[in-house]
């Protein structure tokens, strides 16, 4: 794989996004890291080998102009955009009365509109490179979880991924939905040994992007071996 290929990741400051950045650099990509936490992104750039391998761009995916700036920074600094991983997102307490309306507001905007904005901003660049779109869905986007608006947002991402795939059909751009089960990340407040590691998902992402150009892995669904639901 050429080392000129460029991999943009949102939600890159921790968990699945950060683990994917490590695997992408290992595979020869240069990575562009988007999230709101500048300090974490700067530390990750250092851990990935510095400015020749990685670029940090402070990004709030709910803001359209931040998504435009993320893609522009990737093109200006590294020359192209080959992969975009719309991964930023977070959850909420289950139960229709158990979370604040403000938290719901921010979660829906981040998980749904944020992902749509990131892909929208990237499409012209991806068409030019016959690149690859990946979105982080969830097991919760394949089965309804009780009292979970989070689950509803991930059902939206499941549908969004297929909508994007059909919209880009024939352009050479590939689309992959990554649907994880439980992964041990800051997503959860309580630690558990029964979950996947972020690197387990990162390897799935790299599997999808490393296929020959005529192969489009449309969805990868990964659960830990002990997950019931
Ligand atoms: O969690 P975490 P994961 N704009 O908390 C960022 C899905 N998922 O890796 O902005 C830009 O380590 C946040 O950064 P910061 C999950 O729904 C997970 O597990 O600096 N970025 C951080 O980098 C999500 O879509 C599990 O606070 C924003 C990242 O998002 C994806 O996996 C299971 C942002 C979250 O990283 C990654 O989550 C599953 C914004 N407005 C799906 N808001 C699981 N862990 O079990 C947040 O099925 N971020």
């Amino acid at each position: 794989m050429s080392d000129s290929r460029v991999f943009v990741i949102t939600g890159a400051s921790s968990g699945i996004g950060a683990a994917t950045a490590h695997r992408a650099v290992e595979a020869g990509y240069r990575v562009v890291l988007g999230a709101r936490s500048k300090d974490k992104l700067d530390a990750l750039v250092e851990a990935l080998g510095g400015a020749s391998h990685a670029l940090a761009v402070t990004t709030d995916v709910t803001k359209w102009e931040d998504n435009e700036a993320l893609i522009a920074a990737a093109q200006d600094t590294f020359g192209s955009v080959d992969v975009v991983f719309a991964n930023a997102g977070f959850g909420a307490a289950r139960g229709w009365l158990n979370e604040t309306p403000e938290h719901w507001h921010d979660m829906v905007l981040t998980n749904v509109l944020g992902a749509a904005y990131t892909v929208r901003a990237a499409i012209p660049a991806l068409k030019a490179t016959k690149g690859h779109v990946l979105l982080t869905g969830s097991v919760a986007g394949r089965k309804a979880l009780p009292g979970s608006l989070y689950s509803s947002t991930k059902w939206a991402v499941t549908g969004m991924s297929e909508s994007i795939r059909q919209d880009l059909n024939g352009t050479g751009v590939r689309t992959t939905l990554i649907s994880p089960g439980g992964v041990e990340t800051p997503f959860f407040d309580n630690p558990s040994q029964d979950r996947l590691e972020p690197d387990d998902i990162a390897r799935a992402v790299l599997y999808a992007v490393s296929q020959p150009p005529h192969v489009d892995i449309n969805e990868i669904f990964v659960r830990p071996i002990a997950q019931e639901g």
Side-chain angles (χ1 to χ4, degrees):
M1 188 176 295
S2 157
D3 68 2
S4 66
R5 286 159 60 85
V6 180
F7 201 128
V8 179
I9 303 170
T10 67
S13 63
S14 65
I16 292 167
T20 302
H22 280 281
R23 283 287 175 183
V25 168
E26 185 183 278
Y29 287 93
R30 288 176 291 179
V31 293
V32 179
L33 312 169
R36 296 164 302 175
S37 305
K38 183 178 186 320
D39 291 354
K40 289 183 190 172
L41 293 181
D42 288 344
L44 183 56
V45 168
E46 286 310 306
L48 292 169
S52 56
H53 296 287
L55 173 71
V57 184
T58 309
T59 306
D60 180 343
V61 295
T62 68
K63 296 180 177 161
W64 167 243
E65 60 275 16
D66 281 18
N67 290 278
E68 286 187 302
L70 175 68
I71 300 302
Q75 292 181 302
D76 292 348
T77 304
F78 291 141
S80 67
V81 174
D82 298 278
V83 180
V84 170
F85 185 21
N87 166 71
F90 58 87
R94 290 191 202 173
W96 227 249
L97 301 179
N98 288 339
E99 194 58 88
T100 64
E102 294 76 18
H103 187 98
W104 270 13
H105 174 271
D106 293 348
M107 179 182 69
V108 171
L109 285 186
T110 301
N111 295 4
V112 182
L113 188 65
Y117 274 172
T118 301
V119 176
R120 181 178 177 137
I123 282 175
L126 291 171
K127 281 184 174 171
T129 57
K130 298 192 188 309
H132 201 140
V133 174
L134 300 102
L135 299 107
T136 303
S138 178
V139 167
R142 281 298 187 190
K143 52 175 289 186
L145 302 185
S148 175
L149 184 62
Y150 171 74
S151 178
S152 310
T153 69
K154 291 300 183 177
W155 277 87
V157 174
T158 299
M160 191 188 306
S161 180
E162 175 61 9
S163 295
I164 291 166
R165 189 192 71 78
Q166 292 182 22
D167 198 34
L168 297 180
N169 193 39
T171 65
V173 179
R174 299 185 284 180
T175 305
T176 303
L177 176 67
I178 302 290
S179 299
V183 186
E184 188 64 15
T185 73
F187 180 90
F188 291 107
D189 296 330
N190 59 323
S192 165
Q193 291 184 336
D194 292 336
R195 299 190 184 117
L196 298 166
E197 295 298 324
D199 185 60
D200 296 323
I201 304 304
R203 293 195 315 279
V205 172
L206 268 292
Y207 171 78
V209 300
S210 62
Q211 297 306 304
H214 68 286
V215 178
D216 190 358
I217 305 289
N218 298 140
E219 180 171 5
I220 301 182
F221 202 157
V222 191
R223 282 189 178 93
I225 197 155
Q227 184 165 330
E228 223 173 82

